[in-house]
Amino acid sequence: TTATTTTEMLNQTNETTTMPFTTTTTTTTPEPHIGKCEFWGDPHVRTFDGSRSSYYGDGEFWIVKSDRVRIQGRFMGTNYTHGLAATNKVIVGGAFLQGHTITVGTWLSGVVELDHKPILNELGSSMALPDGLGMITYNSTGELIDDAANWKKRVVSMSLPMHVTVQVFRWDNYLDLRIRMPSIPRMDGCCGNFNGNASDDSTAEVSARIGYRVPHHHNFFHHRGHVEWSRLEEDLLGRCEQGDKARFESAQEHCNANGDTDMPVTIKSCMFDFCYWDNIHMLSIANKLAKEEEEAAK
């Protein structure tokens, strides 16, 4: 900032003269606090506020939902997870990218796209985004989110406006994901609302605030992913009903109010998340049940 002030001085004839002088003061805007949200596996989430939750049902979900920054994820089951979902594809968009979208899929899908057109076909490549919006690189650099994923790293890194950075680790049939960004007004999603309160980031509370899945009119994906429902998931949902009747009935009420009532399988998927969002060991449980079924069938 610049300010002009005056001072009085005596000239050579001892007359008082008013002399202006200018001072310049430099002010700096402090860097915003940057938080971190991470996804790994099937998919477990560590929110910006440090809460832990899991999403086991299929569908398109808000990872970050705000007025300007919008990140969506498609969660889909795999054979390895016995139908439990893993992160299959991520799309970054919103007003902060001026209408552009960046899509990253699994290694086997071959999908890395800008505005749904292929980019970065080779490891070691990079490109500038249009209109000076940032950079995207594709290389093998990045700190692992899940130490168990010790395969060859293929990492798409995005440096974007508003201090947003995104790292996507592309494994054969799923993704791990790290987002760094400041808290911004009216944000919510699987990564939580970044309000300093970890207790309101549960799967149930997030879906109560913004809905269970991304609605059709806000979906960045060209179409809905097919929602699978496995026999093992049906078995586990039944165990929820038998073991915790109150939670099961609460799940029914919540998911019928917030899910896609025209697609019954998405209601079941929502109920499964509601039943097991706080259990990070569902894959181990599913593996054990699948093994028991195989032994019983012999």
Side-chain angles (χ1 to χ4, degrees), residues 116-171:
H116 301 289
K117 296 179 181 178
I119 57 170
L120 305 179
N121 294 320
E122 296 182 0
L123 204 64
S125 56
S126 64
M127 67 171 291
L129 292 172
D131 306 313
L133 291 171
M135 289 287 298
I136 312 178
T137 62
Y138 182 34
N139 54 37
S140 57
T141 302
E143 179 185 357
L144 285 175
I145 299 168
D146 179 8
D147 290 337
N150 57 357
W151 309 291
K152 179 180 179 179
K153 288 193 288 188
R154 303 178 180 90
V155 187
V156 176
S157 299
M158 312 173 203
S159 297
L160 305 174
M162 297 177 61
H163 303 280
V164 176
T165 62
V166 181
Q167 276 188 316
V168 184
F169 292 76
R170 305 177 71 209
W171 310 120

Side-chain angles (χ1 to χ4, degrees), residues 235-253:
D235 181 15
L236 287 167
L237 189 60
R239 290 171 185 245
C240 175
E241 182 178 15
Q242 295 166 8
D244 193 339
K245 187 75 171 179
R247 180 177 277 211
F248 181 85
E249 290 178 349
S250 181
Q252 277 187 316
E253 180 181 357

Side-chain angles (χ1 to χ4, degrees), residues 2 4 22 28 31 33 84 137 140 157 163 173 175-176 185 205 209 230 242 253 255 280 287:
T2 301
T4 301
T22 300
T28 58
E31 290 292 315
H33 169 65
L84 302 183
T137 62
S140 57
S157 299
H163 303 280
N173 62 349
L175 306 173
D176 288 338
E205 292 201 47
R209 291 194 298 264
S230 68
Q242 295 166 8
E253 180 181 357
C255 294
I280 65 173
N287 284 333

Side-chain angles (χ1 to χ4, degrees), residues 37-39 63 90 145 166-169 175-179:
C37 175
E38 295 178 320
F39 281 63
I63 293 176
V90 172
I145 299 168
V166 181
Q167 276 188 316
V168 184
F169 292 76
L175 306 173
D176 288 338
L177 175 69
R178 178 183 291 120
I179 301 168

Side-chain angles (χ1 to χ4, degrees), residues 14-89:
N14 290 327
E15 294 175 339
T16 301
T17 303
T18 300
M19 300 290 292
F21 68 94
T22 300
T23 59
T24 301
T25 302
T26 302
T27 59
T28 58
T29 302
E31 290 292 315
H33 169 65
I34 303 297
K36 178 174 67 176
C37 175
E38 295 178 320
F39 281 63
W40 71 98
D42 44 337
H44 306 304
V45 184
R46 185 180 293 108
T47 71
F48 289 116
D49 287 323
S51 177
R52 290 280 298 272
S53 60
S54 298
Y55 290 79
Y56 296 113
D58 292 2
E60 290 78 37
F61 292 78
W62 287 112
I63 293 176
V64 174
K65 179 181 185 290
S66 72
D67 294 343
R68 296 186 57 78
V69 179
R70 300 198 163 194
I71 305 175
Q72 298 177 5
R74 174 173 284 164
F75 306 158
M76 297 188 71
T78 70
N79 292 333
Y80 172 74
T81 57
H82 306 288
L84 302 183
T87 307
N88 175 267
K89 190 177 288 186

